[in-house]
Amino acid sequence: MSERFPEDFLALMRTSLSDETEMQRFLAISQQPLRRSLRINTLKISVDDFLAQTSDYGWQLTPIPWCKEGFWIERDDESLPLGSVAEHLSGLFYIQEASSMLPVTALFDAAPDAHQVMDVAAAPGSKTTQMAALMHNQGAILANEYSASRVKVLHANISRCGVSNVALTHFDGRVFGAALPEQFDAILLDAPCSGEGVVRKDPDALRNWTLASTEEIAATQRDLLDSAFHALQPGGTLIYSTCTLNQIENQHVISWLQQRYPDAVEIVPLAGLFTGAEQALTPEGFLHVFPHIYDSEGFFVARLRKIASLPALPTPSYKVGKLPFSPASRKLNAEVQQAAAKVGLRWEDNLQLWQRDKELWLFPAALESWLGKVRFSRIGLKLAETFPKGYRWQHEAVVALTQADNTLSFALTEAEAESWYRGQDIHPENLPERDEVLVTYQQQTLGLAKKVGNRIKNSYPRELVRDGRLFR
C-alpha cells in the first residue's frame, strides 16, 4: 500500500502521526479518490438562494465545517464536468478543495475587518476570491503570483467571480517586505511546497520527492515568510499555510521565524476555529490536517500576530517607473458615471476612476498608498475604452458592477444562454425593445450586447468562449 511513497517520506510522517494505526489510516485514504467540493461565491448569490436554485439538480451537498459557504458535492450525473455547469460559468461558485478553504477562514476569524490584504502566492485564485467575498469587495487585496503562466488564470477567475477590489502583481514574493514595509493588516502566505498533501488528487505528486528538495523548499519558505512578516503591520495577522505534511516545511519554518524575531511573533492558536478542529490541532496551536482526519487533502495552517514593529529592510534597488495612469477629473467622473448608469453600471466610493490614454479604470481606493512602490500587472477593473461616440464598456466591469434586475435586463432561455457561452449570436423569438441590453440567465448578468437587425450580437470575450457540452 505504501509503494507510491518514498521511504524517507514515510519516516517523516511517522514523526507527526501518533502510532502505526494512524499511519495505516493515512496510507489507506491516500489510495482513495479525493471527494469534490465547491465554495459558493457570495459576491453573486447567497448560500440559501444557491441551495434553492440547485435543489433539483441531483446534487448532494454536505456542509464543510470550517467554511459556511463550502460544501462537498456528489452528483447523480458525473458525465458533465462541474466546471461546465451554468452556475460555474456565471461565477456563482468556485471549485475549491475543502481544506484549502481553511487558511482564509483562519485569517478572517482573527481579522474580520481587514482592509489592506495581501495574498503572496495567489494563483489560481481560490483563496483570493474567497477573501474578496468575505471583504464584500471593500478594501483592497494585493494578489501576487510569481509564475507568469498562472497570472492569466488568476485574472480570469477573479473576473468570473465579479471581484473588483484586487490588484495583481507578478513578483518573487521576497520583494514585499522591503517594497511595502508594514503596509498590510492581514496577509496570507499559502507557500509553494512539496505538495505531499495532494497525493489523492495527483498520484504522481511525490514522484520526484526527496529529503534534499524538501530542505531546499523550506529555505524558500523561510525567505517568503520573513518578507511577508516585514510587510505586515504591527497588530496584523498572518496565515502561513501549505498543502504539504512534513514538519520541515511547516512547524520548523514557524519556529525559525519565532527564533529570528522573538519579541515580534505571537502564535494565535486555532483551537475552536470550527467544531472538530481539535482533531488536527498541534501542541503549538497549528492545524496539521492529515487527509484521513477530515477525508480531505492534507494541509497545514499557522496563525501569527505581529506584536512589535521591525527595522526596515534595505530599500529595493529596482525602479518602478512612472505610473501610466492619472486620477480622473471631477468633470470626467461625472460624465462617466452618468453614461455608465444608462447601461446599468454603478459603483461605490471605494472604487475610484483613473485614466490611461483612451482607457478608463476603477482602482480600489484602499491601495493608493501602494502606488509607486511596486509595479502592478493589473489594478482593479478595466471599465471602458473611450471613442468619439461614447464608451465601450468592458466585459469584466459589466459582470462585476451590474445587477440582473435592472431595466436593461434581457433574460435568455437555457438554449440561448448556452449559445452565448459558445460565442454565438442570439436569435430570440421576441427581440428586446432597446438596442443595448444586459443579457442575463438565472438572474445573473452574462454581458452587455447590442441588437443588430433580428439578432443580439454576441460580445462574450473570445478567450472565454466554451465548446462541448454545457449546463445540465
Side-chain angles (χ1 to χ4, degrees):
M1 187 181 294
S2 60
E3 61 273 6
R4 72 168 67 173
F5 300 118
E7 285 301 320
D8 285 347
F9 169 74
L10 294 176
L12 275 182
M13 293 306 97
R14 286 189 167 90
T15 65
S16 296
L17 295 168
S18 59
D19 53 35
E20 190 60 27
T21 299
E22 193 176 12
M23 184 71 178
Q24 293 307 313
R25 288 179 61 204
F26 163 63
L27 293 174
I29 203 165
S30 295
Q31 315 297 315
Q32 299 175 16
L34 182 67
R35 53 178 173 166
R36 301 297 298 276
S37 51
L38 59 83
R39 176 180 49 79
I40 297 166
N41 177 21
T42 52
L43 291 175
K44 293 202 167 197
I45 192 170
S46 69
V47 172
D48 288 344
D49 286 348
F50 180 87
L51 296 178
Q53 182 167 311
T54 60
S55 60
D56 64 346
Y57 283 16
W59 295 1
Q60 292 80 53
L61 295 170
T62 304
I64 293 170
W66 49 83
C67 179
K68 62 183 180 181
E69 301 85 18
F71 294 84
W72 283 290
I73 179 171
E74 296 178 66
R75 295 184 292 155
D76 294 343
D77 179 10
E78 297 279 357
S79 63
L80 177 68
L82 191 56
S84 295
V85 305
E87 287 77 9
H88 184 266
L89 293 173
S90 61
L92 300 193
F93 70 88
Y94 198 110
I95 301 170
Q96 182 176 355
E97 205 286 314
S99 56
S100 84
M101 302 175 195
L102 260 173
V104 175
T105 298
L107 182 63
F108 282 83
D109 174 70
D113 300 319
H115 192 63
Q116 292 180 303
V117 181
M118 178 163 61
D119 188 351
V120 180
S126 57
K127 299 175 187 67
T128 304
T129 54
Q130 185 180 357
M131 289 193 290
L134 291 174
M135 294 170 71
H136 310 288
N137 259 340
Q138 300 295 307
I141 302 171
L142 189 155
N144 178 67
E145 177 52 43
Y146 176 64
S147 171
S149 63
R150 304 182 78 200
V151 173
K152 186 176 180 180
V153 176
L154 172 60
H155 175 252
N157 281 323
I158 287 170
S159 297
R160 180 176 60 85
C161 292
V163 172
S164 61
N165 67 337
V166 167
L168 301 183
T169 56
H170 166 46
F171 285 111
D172 183 321
R174 284 174 274 216
V175 74
F176 292 107
L180 294 169
E182 303 193 335
Q183 286 282 309
F184 300 92
D185 48 12
I187 294 178
L188 169 63
L189 171 56
D190 187 44
C193 66
S194 58
E196 298 162 353
V198 304
V199 69
R200 295 178 65 186
K201 183 169 62 180
D202 178 10
D204 294 327
L206 299 181
R207 172 171 289 182
N208 298 314
W209 188 97
T210 66
L211 189 57
S213 66
T214 298
E215 295 282 5
E216 290 174 4
I217 292 169
T220 298
Q221 292 164 338
R222 291 193 292 269
D223 287 348
L224 290 171
L225 183 57
D226 190 24
S227 175
F229 198 66
H230 273 87
L232 187 68
Q233 296 174 8
T237 299
L238 185 150
I239 296 294
Y240 174 81
S241 63
T242 72
C243 59
T244 205
L245 300 170
N246 67 79
Q247 294 194 24
I248 295 170
E249 297 178 65
N250 294 326
Q251 285 93 330
H252 295 182
V253 172
I254 301 299
S255 179
W256 173 87
L257 189 75
Q258 288 180 286
Q259 293 173 27
R260 188 169 177 83
Y261 306 114
D263 298 325
V265 179
E266 178 184 67
I267 294 173
V268 183
L270 291 163
L273 182 64
F274 61 94
T275 302
E278 69 281 355
Q279 298 176 67
L281 198 68
T282 73
E284 303 93 339
F286 310 141
L287 292 179
H288 198 152
V289 179
F290 279 83
H292 60 277
I293 299 178
Y294 305 117
D295 190 3
S296 66
E297 280 188 349
F299 236 84
F300 175 85
V301 184
R303 185 165 61 188
L304 309 175
R305 181 179 292 121
K306 187 173 182 177
I307 56 176
S309 184
L310 297 178
L313 296 171
T315 303
S317 59
Y318 64 79
K319 295 184 183 298
V320 175
K322 184 179 179 182
L323 186 70
F325 297 89
S326 58
S329 66
R330 183 177 300 179
K331 179 181 177 183
L332 180 59
N333 254 301
E335 291 175 354
V336 172
Q337 289 197 34
Q338 185 177 19
K342 292 179 180 178
V343 293
L345 278 73
R346 292 178 174 81
W347 55 91
E348 299 177 17
D349 291 342
N350 64 299
L351 297 176
Q352 296 180 344
L353 189 66
W354 289 66
Q355 62 183 133
R356 178 178 65 180
D357 300 326
K358 295 183 178 181
E359 298 175 355
L360 297 173
W361 290 72
L362 291 172
F363 289 3
L367 61 66
E368 192 166 348
S369 62
W370 309 338
L371 298 177
K373 297 178 180 177
V374 292
R375 187 184 304 110
F376 292 93
S377 301
R378 195 175 185 93
I379 306 177
L381 291 172
K382 186 177 181 182
L383 176 65
E385 293 180 355
T386 61
F387 63 104
K389 294 184 179 180
Y391 304 98
R392 186 175 290 110
W393 307 106
Q394 300 298 293
H395 175 78
E396 64 177 302
V398 170
V399 168
L401 302 176
T402 62
Q403 299 297 319
D405 59 356
N406 66 51
T407 57
L408 284 177
S409 294
F410 183 78
L412 303 183
T413 65
E414 181 175 298
E416 290 168 347
E418 283 197 53
S419 294
W420 176 266
Y421 283 120
R422 297 183 198 281
Q424 301 164 354
D425 290 349
I426 309 298
H427 296 81
E429 185 174 334
N430 298 304
L431 285 165
E433 295 180 3
R434 297 175 179 267
D435 289 335
E436 198 165 35
V437 293
L438 289 167
V439 292
T440 67
Y441 179 62
Q442 296 178 326
Q443 297 183 315
Q444 297 298 320
T445 300
L446 306 189
L448 183 65
K450 292 184 181 295
K451 180 175 66 175
V452 179
N454 64 351
R455 63 190 171 95
I456 297 174
K457 184 174 174 58
N458 194 299
S459 62
Y460 196 52
R462 298 297 99 183
E463 66 272 16
L464 301 179
V465 167
R466 301 292 294 265
D467 296 318
R469 183 180 163 205
L470 300 177
F471 294 10
R472 287 188 285 166

